[in-house]
Amino acid sequence: MARRHKPKTPPAKQRFSGAESHKPKPPPATKQRFSAAERSALYARREAANVLRSVLRGDAERRAVASIKSLVFSPSVRNKRATFALVCETLKHLTVIKDVLEIANVLNSKWKRQEPLVYIICYDILFGKDTPSIGDAEKFLMRHKDALLSGLATLLVRKKVESVDQLLGLSKLNGHLKPRYVRVNTLKMDVDSAVQELEKHYTVQKDETVPDLLVLPPGSDLHAHRLVANGRIFLQGKASSMVAAALQPEAGWEVLDACSAPGNKTIHLAALMQGQGKIIACELNEERVKRLEHTIKLSGASNIQVFHGDFLGLNPKDPSFAKVRAILLDPSCSGSGTITDRLDHLLPSHSADNMNYDSMRLHKLAVFQKKALAHALSFPQVERVVYSTCSIHQIENEDVVSSVLPLASSLGFKLATPFPQWQRRGLPVFAGSEHLLRMDPVEDKEGFFIALFLKTNKLDNPKPSELPERESRRRRKERTMQLHPFLCPKMFRALSRTLHRRRRKPVLCINSED
């Protein structure tokens, strides 16, 4: 009987043929691809949310770490233009966005913890040109787009207005076009070379007041320019550039910048000193210290020493500061002169009636400013002190200077006139205010204030009655100790007892030389 042979089993690749071989297989896991524009928009929304979080937190605590512009144009933000636009527009519409979210009631606890990002995305959905399509938060809010739009319509009806512009009540800022100022970093580049390079794309003029400052047309965007990126030029306003120039530090000096971050004035000092001497840059806030260090590194300045600490905590008699000859004091202020530049008018605290708060805040700022200025004047070897603010308020400017004038005079300081050719001077509220410098928000496109104190060569040997009592007693005691006790012991002991009792009856003509 013939043996049957079992058919050979085909190899695995040939086992299935025909229809059975085409069973559907699960598609391989592939990474979802997004367009470059989608990725850029996604990153811009995240960066804008981070900036917005810092801005809102600082505004709520009344302790802003930096202005909106400073935060947006920090090195960590990549898409600066888109981020800046998103932050500004979201802040303009923030009240409306909050009301719409409350009406729509679509946020759960997860997204309530990410409110800045939600505000940014809601702006894009309700008012933006591009509809967000990628990102978990974007997808969540897009699923509730109809509820958000319905909430906006309900809000318009409640407020009895026909458009979002009416709802916002946005008053157009008196839009005066401000030139773009650029300061040349002379540590890396001379002014003429900078002019030659910038003239390839812009109309450039040299400023009449500050030698290393250039003036470009309004709206000139140089944030991505290679000269900015490599630290050869810095985008710095005219008023800010006038502060270091008013101090006029000499090459080889030791200078103290009391409140230095973000560092533009600090590195300007370094350039004016030709990279020589030493600059002590004080900054209390840790985040602002990082910004300061980045600015210094970008500038190429090698004579700046950063001190992370409180200027008011420095001991003027410490030997470390024995050679400090000039101090630049640009303390915290209301920023009322640069409110448009800083965009503070967009913040929630500026949208309501905060007159009482503003008055209290100005008083607290003035107390700090007086204390800081008096402290700056107390450093023994200091010959020049510049006090400046970006404020328009008398309480932060003339009143601060007036309050320290008696102390300044007793220490040998007098008010000097920075930039004598400048027309706008201090408010006529005390004798000598004509030495002060003011910039007008309308005429000069920003409000600013500068006071310059110069120490005379010597105190004009004031009489004891013209000196503070403590200083007068100290001088009498020093002269007394100059009399050798062994030459006239009885007279010395009698005089010592007299001074100890604080009697003013002269035993000897000790003060005849005063």
Side-chain angles (χ1 to χ4, degrees):
M1 185 175 179
R3 182 182 292 179
R4 291 183 179 180
H5 297 279
K6 294 182 180 180
K8 293 182 179 180
T9 304
K13 293 183 180 180
Q14 301 176 1
R15 188 172 299 170
F16 300 102
S17 59
E20 293 185 357
S21 65
H22 297 288
K23 288 183 180 180
K25 298 180 181 179
T30 58
K31 188 175 181 180
Q32 190 175 1
R33 294 183 179 179
F34 305 119
S35 68
E38 287 176 324
R39 286 197 303 272
S40 178
L42 179 70
Y43 294 143
R45 286 191 291 270
R46 267 62 186 173
E47 290 179 326
N50 289 334
V51 172
L52 187 61
R53 182 178 293 106
S54 297
V55 168
L56 295 179
R57 183 187 299 120
D59 187 55
E61 298 173 356
R62 307 301 195 256
R63 292 179 61 86
V65 172
S67 69
I68 297 171
K69 280 188 174 180
S70 295
L71 291 170
V72 170
F73 293 110
S74 67
S76 60
V77 177
R78 291 183 293 179
N79 196 341
K80 291 178 171 56
R81 187 191 296 270
T83 301
F84 184 65
L86 275 173
V87 172
C88 292
E89 292 301 320
T90 301
L91 283 171
K92 287 179 185 178
H93 295 79
L94 187 59
T95 303
V96 176
I97 292 171
K98 287 183 175 180
D99 288 342
V100 169
L101 286 170
E102 184 177 352
I103 294 172
N105 193 26
V106 298
L107 296 184
N108 55 32
S109 58
K110 173 184 176 181
W111 298 114
K112 284 182 179 179
R113 291 193 295 269
Q114 301 186 44
E115 282 187 333
L117 178 59
V118 169
Y119 296 152
I120 295 289
I121 298 170
C122 280
Y123 165 75
D124 265 345
I125 292 175
L126 296 172
F127 313 110
K129 297 179 181 179
D130 300 323
T131 302
S133 56
I134 61 173
D136 292 341
E138 287 84 346
K139 291 176 181 177
F140 170 81
L141 290 169
M142 283 299 294
R143 288 199 297 268
H144 297 88
K145 180 179 180 179
D146 292 341
L148 294 174
L149 293 173
S150 176
L152 178 58
T154 302
L155 186 62
L156 293 173
V157 173
R158 286 184 184 178
K159 299 294 184 180
K160 298 179 181 180
V161 294
E162 297 179 356
S163 68
V164 174
D165 286 344
Q166 292 177 344
L167 186 63
L168 292 170
L170 292 176
S171 58
K172 299 283 185 181
L173 291 172
N174 295 328
H176 48 266
L177 294 177
K178 180 180 178 181
R180 162 63 72 188
Y181 289 101
V182 173
R183 185 180 61 78
V184 181
N185 178 16
T186 53
L187 294 174
K188 287 187 172 183
M189 191 178 205
D190 63 86
V191 175
D192 290 335
S193 297
V195 171
Q196 185 178 2
E197 182 67 24
L198 292 172
E199 278 184 335
K200 295 177 181 178
H201 304 285
Y202 305 96
T203 302
V204 183
Q205 294 179 336
K206 293 182 180 180
D207 184 71
E208 298 177 352
T209 309
V210 183
D212 50 3
L213 194 66
L214 304 179
V215 188
L216 280 68
S220 302
D221 187 1
L222 286 87
H223 289 96
H225 198 283
R226 64 181 184 85
L227 294 183
V228 175
N230 58 29
R232 283 178 166 79
I233 63 174
F234 282 84
L235 307 181
Q236 186 172 356
K238 177 167 183 171
S240 175
S241 302
M242 291 172 69
V243 177
L247 189 63
Q248 292 184 315
E250 297 181 12
W253 276 19
E254 284 197 14
V255 178
L256 197 155
D257 189 352
C259 308
S260 54
N264 286 339
K265 298 181 185 70
T266 314
I267 60 174
H268 192 187
L269 289 172
L272 292 171
M273 295 164 64
Q274 302 171 21
Q276 303 174 29
K278 178 182 177 182
I279 299 171
I280 303 170
C282 297
E283 179 54 49
L284 180 60
N285 184 277
E286 185 175 355
E287 289 300 317
R288 288 171 65 82
V289 166
K290 295 178 183 177
R291 179 75 189 279
L292 171 63
E293 290 174 339
H294 171 78
T295 304
I296 294 171
K297 182 179 180 181
L298 183 63
S299 73
S302 58
N303 63 333
I304 301 175
Q305 175 185 325
V306 176
F307 173 75
H308 181 196
D310 187 0
F311 167 65
L312 291 176
L314 301 182
N315 181 3
K317 296 182 180 179
D318 190 314
S320 303
F321 310 114
K323 296 181 180 180
V324 173
R325 299 180 66 179
I327 294 180
L328 190 156
L329 175 62
D330 186 61
S332 299
C333 72
S334 63
S336 53
T338 57
I339 187 171
T340 303
D341 280 349
R342 289 174 53 87
L343 306 173
D344 288 352
H345 60 287
L346 300 177
L347 300 176
S349 63
H350 289 257
S351 62
D353 182 9
N354 286 319
M355 294 302 293
N356 291 333
Y357 160 71
D358 287 342
S359 177
M360 292 171 54
R361 179 170 180 256
L362 286 174
H363 175 72
K364 290 180 179 179
L365 284 169
V367 170
F368 164 72
Q369 291 156 354
K370 292 174 184 177
K371 188 181 297 185
L373 182 52
H375 191 61
L377 294 168
S378 68
F379 283 73
Q381 302 304 318
V382 166
E383 301 174 19
R384 302 176 191 174
V385 174
V386 159
Y387 171 76
S388 65
T389 74
C390 52
S391 170
I392 60 174
H393 299 300
Q394 176 183 326
I395 190 175
E396 297 183 272
N397 298 332
E398 287 85 358
D399 289 356
V400 170
V401 172
S402 177
S403 71
V404 302
L405 279 180
L407 172 67
S409 179
S410 72
L411 295 172
F413 285 96
K414 65 178 182 179
L415 283 174
T417 307
F419 304 103
Q421 74 277 17
W422 192 262
Q423 295 182 353
R424 278 169 285 285
R425 292 292 160 180
L427 301 178
V429 292
F430 66 87
S433 62
E434 67 276 6
H435 295 292
L436 308 176
L437 184 149
R438 268 184 174 266
M439 297 186 73
D440 184 78
V442 177
E443 297 294 330
D444 305 308
K445 309 299 185 289
E446 59 183 324
F448 219 87
F449 176 86
I450 299 176
L452 171 62
F453 293 83
L454 291 184
K455 182 176 284 186
T456 54
N457 291 333
K458 290 183 180 179
L459 287 170
D460 297 329
N461 293 324
K463 297 179 181 179
S465 59
E466 297 175 350
L467 291 170
E469 185 177 352
R470 180 179 297 178
E471 177 68 12
S472 180
R473 289 201 307 269
R474 184 185 66 79
R475 289 193 175 196
R476 287 199 301 270
K477 184 177 180 180
E478 287 179 353
R479 285 188 173 87
T480 301
M481 297 308 295
Q482 290 174 1
L483 296 175
H484 203 291
F486 298 106
L487 295 179
C488 193
K490 291 183 179 180
M491 184 182 298
F492 181 82
R493 286 195 296 270
L495 184 57
S496 297
R497 285 196 299 272
T498 302
L499 290 176
H500 182 67
R501 297 192 196 100
R502 300 181 180 178
R503 292 179 180 175
R504 296 188 176 276
K505 182 179 178 181
V507 179
L508 293 174
C509 298
I510 298 173
N511 296 324
S512 60
E513 296 179 0
D514 283 351

